[in-house]
Amino acid sequence: MLELRNVDAYYGNIQALKGINLEVREGEIITLIGANGAGKSTTLMSISGIVPPRNGQVLYKGEPIHNVAPDKIVAMGICQVPEGRHIFPQLTVQENLDMGAFLRSDKRGIQKDLDYVFSLFPILDERRHQAGGNLSGGEQQMLAMSRALMARPDLLLLDEPSMGLAPLIIRQIFEIIKKINDENNTTIFLVEQNANQALHIADRGYVIENGSITISDDADKLLANQDVQKAYLGG
Amino acid sequence: MEYFIELLFSGLTRGAIYALIALGYTMVYGIIGLINFAHGEIYMIGAFTAFIVSTVLSILGFPLLAIIVLAGLAAAVWSSAYGYTVEKLAYKPLRHAPRLSPLISAIGMSIFLQNYVLLAQTSDFQPFPELIPEFDFMEPFVHIVGSSDMVILVVTTLMMVGLTLLIKFTRIGKAMRATSQDRKMAMLVGINVDRVISATFIVGSALAAVGGLLIASHIGQINFFIGFIAGIKAFTAAVLGGIGSIPGAVLGGVILGLTESFATGYVSSDYEDVFAFSLLVLILIFKPSGLLGKAEIQKV
């Protein structure tokens, strides 16, 4: 469904990605794990077109998208929940969700998806008319994910959804990710520092170090891998 | 007391025009964080467009109302085209450059447009036709507030209400709000940010053009330099109200207009600019974010 071939990305003169190769198949949960600054977020930003690759190719459903504008990429069905959630602070919860459906005009479908995200996260329904900036961290993460779902994506990119959240909330978020994958067959590309949780729900995983993929394998094999355990699983 | 009311209305009229121009500054700043110093020139070009169109139409014998409406529309469209083009030529290529670069580019654009109109129209003041008639029903109040003051107040109020509705309820308005709050995220929900920026320049320019038409007809003459001083005043109004804040621009414009009017009336017209810019200095010392602005948090 999505394929990165030898992708290089730069911030100014600093090379953040060095020849990334990876593949996401339809219906999968893929996770990309790695330390701070390894290039996890940059990989997602390259896919979304915010940091276009300087070299290499990004193919989505067989079509090259590495020169496509970010809004067109969203229109093609790839949605990202960026690190730090990026809620529109002065828009209400409802308006934030409306923004998620910005490119859609099927009122009925939008309403259906709205009901769906409220069923996933009932708290958002209660907070509907509050400003997004006033929500707690966990609620903002729920809102960010719901906003992305409102675009009805085929491929959902999640950047560190567990960051800065309490363990109980983290577990809830991961359960919902699994549920979204199961119920809608939404393909999920999950970037995480919380390798343990991520590998437990993922089908396959990649490990990124200094801008290059060093290991790729099935998730349960990565969990058992000694190097991965030592570096990312605390033991 | 009558004198006070007279000054009050003349201050409100000025303030309304400042506010109309200030909206362009504040909207552009809100979206791309740039002070568009060429905005005063867009206003001046609006006034000239209205001047040319209304002169031609009055020679052709069009009725007054038709002349005002057509001249206003022409000015709005033509100024918008300038605003759009200026952004594409001078700011868009510098989108990822350090903040100072587009600012200098804006000053360059302002000087360019001034001199271009100077060459095309000479430096002489051109007499602007009086487009707004003296209404009969305004007769009893004419010593306090003139017909053209009244028209200016009504038209600017309508434009501001229109702008508020646009921003609050339309698709492009929502996209503008989202882009000004978080540009990267706006891209990630599928907003074409370039288009939103263009729309912002177009709307701001159209407002300034209408301001140009109204004030030129009120004062009765224009030349290539009117955009500079009006631009600086409107910029002051925008900063006073809190740059980036739309109600702030309106409030700042009105306060500035009233200050100037009362300074002129009770002190001397020579001190009009002194009071206006003292106000700017005071606000920058005591509340740098402006009356309704939010302090910007610099992330390092």
Side-chain angles (χ1 to χ4, degrees):
Chain A
M1 181 179 213
L2 180 82
E3 201 181 340
L4 275 67
R5 287 188 193 157
N6 295 315
V7 168
D8 290 344
Y10 290 76
Y11 289 106
N13 289 321
I14 300 160
Q15 186 168 12
L17 299 182
K18 300 166 190 160
I20 295 282
N21 284 296
L22 60 79
E23 190 195 356
V24 183
R25 295 177 205 136
E26 190 152 0
E28 275 188 323
I29 299 183
I30 286 293
T31 182
L32 179 65
I33 57 181
N36 250 338
K40 302 189 297 294
S41 298
T42 312
T43 305
L44 292 192
M45 287 301 174
S46 287
I47 297 169
S48 285
I50 306 279
V51 183
R54 198 175 285 184
N55 305 304
Q57 289 184 302
V58 182
L59 300 172
Y60 176 65
K61 295 181 178 168
E63 274 181 71
I65 57 163
H66 44 271
N67 288 323
V68 178
D71 56 297
K72 300 282 185 315
I73 292 178
V74 176
M76 293 171 90
I78 304 181
C79 254
Q80 185 183 159
V81 180
E83 185 181 346
R85 327 186 219 290
H86 287 266
I87 297 301
F88 298 113
Q90 286 149 45
L91 300 187
T92 63
V93 168
Q94 177 74 52
E95 285 173 321
N96 267 285
L97 293 170
D98 291 344
M99 291 318 297
F102 186 76
L103 293 174
R104 297 174 60 184
S105 50
D106 55 321
K107 280 215 166 98
R108 253 204 222 137
I110 294 174
Q111 186 56 45
K112 221 179 104 202
D113 287 349
L114 195 63
D115 294 340
Y116 177 65
V117 300
F118 284 151
S119 76
L120 290 178
F121 304 110
I123 187 83
L124 294 180
D125 198 2
E126 284 169 37
R127 303 246 189 275
R128 230 173 152 141
H129 300 294
Q130 287 185 22
N134 294 343
L135 302 185
S136 72
E139 287 162 358
Q140 287 196 356
Q141 185 60 49
M142 296 171 192
L143 177 56
M145 285 172 55
S146 303
R147 183 178 55 190
L149 287 176
M150 289 303 291
R152 202 179 271 181
D154 297 327
L155 173 61
L156 183 61
L157 312 175
L158 296 169
D159 196 349
E160 306 236 10
S162 74
M163 195 172 70
L165 302 182
L168 208 68
I169 311 269
I170 293 179
R171 200 160 47 175
Q172 195 190 346
I173 295 274
F174 275 100
E175 271 165 23
I176 300 253
I177 294 171
K178 188 91 186 99
K179 197 169 161 190
I180 292 167
N181 177 251
D182 286 343
E183 286 179 358
N184 311 316
N185 199 30
T186 308
T187 311
I188 289 175
F189 187 170
L190 173 65
V191 155
E192 260 300 341
Q193 281 200 57
N194 193 333
N196 190 25
Q197 294 264 23
L199 286 171
H200 271 107
I201 63 162
D203 300 306
R204 291 185 303 121
Y206 291 88
V207 177
I208 185 169
E209 272 173 48
N210 293 322
S212 306
I213 301 285
T214 51
I215 312 172
S216 77
D217 213 335
D218 289 342
D220 41 353
K221 288 186 186 144
L222 283 176
L223 275 171
N225 184 313
Q226 295 230 328
D227 293 338
V228 175
Q229 279 188 0
K230 213 176 276 170
Y232 304 105
L233 301 171
Chain B
M1 189 59 199
E2 216 164 73
Y3 187 52
F4 175 83
I5 296 174
E6 193 186 323
L7 290 177
L8 181 75
F9 272 103
S10 103
L12 283 177
T13 308
R14 263 175 205 244
I17 296 293
Y18 289 152
L20 217 46
I21 309 172
L23 285 169
Y25 278 106
T26 221
M27 284 170 69
V28 165
Y29 185 87
I31 301 269
I32 55 174
L34 164 76
I35 307 291
N36 176 17
F37 276 114
H39 189 58
E41 271 56 59
I42 298 293
Y43 150 90
M44 178 265 293
I45 285 168
F48 267 101
T49 310
F51 166 67
I52 293 165
V53 171
S54 58
T55 308
V56 170
L57 290 182
S58 59
I59 290 170
L60 293 176
F62 276 66
L64 205 50
L65 185 68
I67 294 179
I68 300 177
V69 172
L70 289 175
L73 279 176
V77 170
W78 197 236
S79 284
S80 297
Y82 268 91
Y84 175 86
T85 312
V86 164
E87 191 271 324
K88 288 277 181 263
L89 283 180
Y91 309 146
K92 194 176 173 225
L94 297 171
R95 191 81 38 85
H96 301 288
R99 252 180 142 173
L100 200 56
S101 313
L103 197 68
I104 293 166
S105 181
I107 294 170
M109 238 6 203
S110 158
I111 295 170
F112 170 78
L113 289 175
Q114 257 180 47
N115 285 279
Y116 150 69
V117 175
L118 168 67
L119 287 174
Q121 299 286 338
T122 77
S123 62
D124 298 335
F125 272 99
Q126 314 282 344
F128 197 93
E130 201 175 304
L131 293 177
I132 303 166
E134 292 299 328
F135 298 120
D136 291 340
F137 65 87
M138 291 296 290
E139 191 64 40
F141 315 103
V142 80
H143 53 291
I144 307 173
V145 47
S147 291
S148 79
D149 293 81
M150 215 56 218
V151 169
I152 289 177
L153 287 175
V154 170
V155 172
T156 49
T157 308
L158 286 177
M159 307 239 13
M160 286 166 195
V161 171
L163 179 70
T164 311
L165 296 176
L166 174 93
I167 288 176
K168 218 151 178 116
F169 298 112
T170 65
R171 196 174 138 83
I172 188 75
K174 279 183 185 168
M176 283 177 180
R177 280 192 291 157
T179 307
S180 78
Q181 289 176 34
D182 194 329
R183 186 147 115 210
K184 194 197 276 180
M185 194 58 227
M187 292 163 120
L188 287 176
V189 296
I191 294 171
N192 184 335
V193 169
D194 283 335
R195 203 173 292 163
V196 171
I197 293 171
S198 292
T200 309
F201 274 84
I202 286 171
V203 172
S205 302
L207 294 175
V210 173
L213 163 80
L214 293 172
I215 202 73
S217 156
H218 186 61
I219 290 172
Q221 55 177 15
I222 55 173
N223 80 344
F224 75 100
F225 203 60
I226 56 164
F228 178 75
I229 195 74
I232 295 263
K233 292 275 177 67
F235 171 61
T236 305
V239 172
L240 188 64
I243 190 123
S245 155
I246 285 175
V250 177
L251 181 67
V254 170
I255 291 177
L256 189 70
L258 290 174
T259 309
E260 282 190 6
S261 174
F262 287 124
T264 308
Y266 289 118
V267 187
S268 151
S269 62
D270 298 336
Y271 285 91
E272 166 189 317
D273 293 349
V274 175
F275 276 91
F277 293 119
S278 304
L279 203 61
L280 177 65
V281 172
L282 287 176
I283 199 80
L284 286 177
I285 293 172
F286 293 108
K287 200 165 184 308
S289 55
L291 296 171
L292 301 180
K294 273 184 304 282
E296 195 175 324
I297 300 155
Q298 285 274 358
K299 273 192 215 157
V300 186

